[in-house]
Amino acid sequence: MAELSRITVEPREPLAAEVSRRLIDYLMSGEVQPGDRIPSERQLTEMLGVNRPTVREAIKSLGFLGLLEIRQSSGTYFRGSDSDVLYRLFELGLVLGERGAKDMVQARAELEIVVAGLAAEARDDAGVDLLRARLAVMRECPDDEFAEADTAFHAALAELSGNSVLRDMLKGMRAMIQRGWVERTGAVRSREVAYADHVPIFEAVEKGDTPGARAAMAQHMEGASRRLMEALDRRTAD
């Protein structure tokens, strides 16, 4: 059984929500694998130093979200997580504290750079044409559709890369970042700057310039990640 000793609960309200957050940290730590049984309610009560009804409420909440499976007379099991579960947790503020959010932004940036390089390597006429069209939409669409057009450009790039795993991982990350906190903080650059960032990415992919595509995406991600971190810092301070 994975160790849970590192989880301690401070006396704050609401206690069940705090227990839920601590359990999520534990489940996402890598110590527990999908299908593993987690400690019993009694064990969690002792480990966390809280009462049993609080632990039971937290477990039920995580079961409702799809993170845990409660089996009568057998125990409670970690079901694993997918992007939909993670988004719901993010939406409810139960996961991705300050450190996790920064890790998410960093991971997204690194994967986007990898995908840009792969897209340059794997480019074909159809893929380049689609990417050109997506860039044109970014340039011409109304302001209230720009965020969607930006996401569509990155999605086309990931599709062109030919790596379905990276494509799907990035799709989930973008949705979580966009819906989870960009829409709430307005952490975006000006439209002109955002569009200009994407032009060298497209040009490098079109030419099959792998180092150039990676460098252009790295520059784009540096600015985007910095703004997201600034927004997170403001949100944390509030």
Side-chain angles (χ1 to χ4, degrees):
M1 179 183 297
E3 291 295 327
L4 196 62
S5 58
R6 66 182 182 82
I7 296 180
T8 57
V9 176
E10 299 294 333
R12 66 179 75 172
E13 296 292 338
L15 190 55
E18 176 65 14
V19 170
S20 295
R21 283 191 291 270
R22 298 296 183 180
L23 285 174
I24 290 168
D25 286 344
Y26 165 60
L27 295 170
M28 299 299 181
S29 69
E31 297 176 13
V32 189
Q33 299 302 313
D36 285 354
R37 185 172 64 181
I38 70 169
S40 66
E41 285 184 6
R42 180 183 59 79
Q43 291 171 314
L44 290 173
T45 295
E46 295 173 355
M47 293 172 178
L48 297 170
V50 295
N51 59 54
R52 196 158 180 171
T54 299
V55 170
R56 185 176 297 117
E57 181 180 349
I59 289 175
K60 286 182 178 179
S61 296
L62 298 189
F64 176 76
L65 289 169
L67 203 59
L68 295 176
E69 179 182 0
I70 304 168
R71 303 177 188 173
Q72 295 297 327
S73 304
S74 176
T76 302
Y77 295 79
F78 179 40
R79 297 183 64 178
S81 59
D82 55 30
S83 60
D84 183 60
V85 170
L86 288 174
Y87 172 70
R88 279 181 282 163
L89 294 172
F90 187 95
E91 179 84 338
L92 295 174
L94 292 174
V95 76
L96 292 182
E98 183 177 359
R99 186 186 70 180
K102 289 180 177 179
D103 287 348
M104 168 70 74
V105 171
Q106 182 183 35
R108 185 263 173 121
E110 294 298 327
L111 291 183
E112 292 280 12
I113 293 168
V114 171
V115 160
L118 291 174
E121 292 178 9
R123 78 198 188 289
D124 56 26
D125 290 343
V128 169
D129 287 346
L130 176 59
L131 207 58
R132 182 184 293 108
R134 294 288 171 83
L135 188 65
V137 171
M138 289 180 66
R139 183 181 65 245
E140 299 165 4
C141 70
D143 289 346
D144 60 356
E145 296 177 9
F146 185 79
E148 182 179 349
D150 188 337
T151 298
F153 177 91
H154 283 269
L157 194 67
E159 192 69 43
L160 182 55
S161 77
N163 189 305
S164 61
V165 174
L166 291 175
R167 178 198 64 199
D168 293 345
M169 289 174 66
L170 279 169
K171 180 180 179 181
M173 288 180 176
R174 291 190 206 105
M176 290 171 66
I177 290 172
Q178 179 65 32
R179 296 166 61 196
W181 101 70
V182 170
E183 291 178 358
R184 300 178 183 183
T185 63
V188 294
R189 62 180 63 185
S190 72
R191 173 173 177 160
E192 292 75 15
V193 173
Y195 171 77
D197 265 10
H198 290 74
V199 173
I201 298 171
F202 167 74
E203 291 176 342
V205 171
E206 183 182 31
K207 292 184 294 186
D209 178 3
T210 298
R214 289 176 58 91
M217 181 62 79
Q219 183 173 351
H220 171 48
M221 284 291 106
E222 189 279 329
S225 297
R226 184 181 67 252
R227 271 177 293 280
L228 286 170
M229 288 299 95
E230 290 170 351
L232 175 64
D233 290 340
R234 290 194 300 271
R235 179 173 162 184
T236 301
D238 294 341

